[in-house]
Amino acid sequence: MWAYTVGFTVLPHVGGFLGWFLNRKEIPAWYEKLKKPSWCPSRRVFPVAWTMLYTGMGYASYLVWNDLGGCSSKAIVPMGLYGAQLVLNWAWPPLFFGAHNLNMAVIDVLCLDGLALGTLCSWYRINRLAALLLLPYLGWLAMATCLSIRIWKDNPQQKSAKSD
């Protein structure tokens, strides 16, 4: 069973790492030049935060999957919500950093918020620890959503897409 635990725990990191790797050059070249609010976290905080958040959500997904007996019909909605929110989570960096599309990044993060909240609610009935492990993620998403909207509002010339 430990292989499943490790696999589920590592899975969210895969997309997170790819998002960073593919867009890493855009951070100094583009992101640093955007107008950001004073409460924007330091660049150094993001990898540490996402490592902890991805680990927590990955392990929580294992707990839910295991409690539901693996790939059963009972797992379709709770794991489907999780998978959908994970895809939107992974889509945000290419939209924001890669395409410089603040409009789509804001739409993505707002949809992500709803799916993440839906995931937490569906998991609460299955495994309360798993739901609690998502709380820091939802807190971080709230900050990330506010930050995305603020950057979107404060950088009107950047809203639609890359202009290189």
Side-chain angles (χ1 to χ4, degrees):
M1 265 323 209
W2 67 268
Y4 288 118
T5 308
V6 171
F8 275 87
T9 303
V10 169
L11 176 64
H13 293 277
V14 173
F17 177 78
L18 284 173
W20 166 80
F21 184 78
L22 295 173
N23 298 291
R24 70 191 182 285
K25 293 178 182 169
E26 295 298 329
I27 294 169
W30 178 75
Y31 178 72
E32 291 301 324
K33 295 175 184 150
L34 292 174
K35 183 178 176 188
K36 293 179 281 304
S38 60
W39 48 267
C40 180
S42 163
R43 273 182 35 195
R44 286 174 260 153
V45 172
F46 288 91
V48 174
W50 280 113
T51 298
M52 292 187 306
L53 296 168
Y54 281 144
T55 300
M57 83 165 74
Y59 180 67
S61 71
Y62 165 75
L63 293 174
V64 170
W65 177 82
N66 190 54
D67 284 2
L68 293 174
C71 296
S72 68
S73 61
K74 290 186 253 176
I76 292 172
V77 170
M79 297 308 285
L81 286 167
Y82 172 70
Q85 72 81 32
L86 195 55
V87 167
L88 288 180
N89 179 298
W90 291 344
W92 189 88
L95 291 170
F96 187 87
F97 293 110
H100 303 174
N101 193 327
L102 301 183
N103 289 330
M104 288 305 298
V106 167
I107 290 167
D108 176 272
V109 79
L110 290 170
C111 293
L112 171 57
D113 292 342
L115 285 169
L117 185 58
T119 301
L120 183 141
C121 291
S122 75
W123 286 10
Y124 186 78
R125 289 173 276 184
I126 300 159
N127 186 306
R128 289 192 176 152
L129 175 59
L132 291 173
L133 285 170
L134 289 184
L135 287 176
Y137 176 53
L138 265 81
W140 183 264
L141 280 181
M143 181 281 302
T145 300
C146 292
L147 183 59
S148 295
I149 292 169
R150 181 67 183 270
I151 290 172
W152 173 78
K153 283 177 145 182
D154 290 347
N155 296 275
Q157 72 283 4
Q158 297 289 334
K159 284 187 180 177
S160 53
K162 215 174 200 176
S163 57
D164 297 344

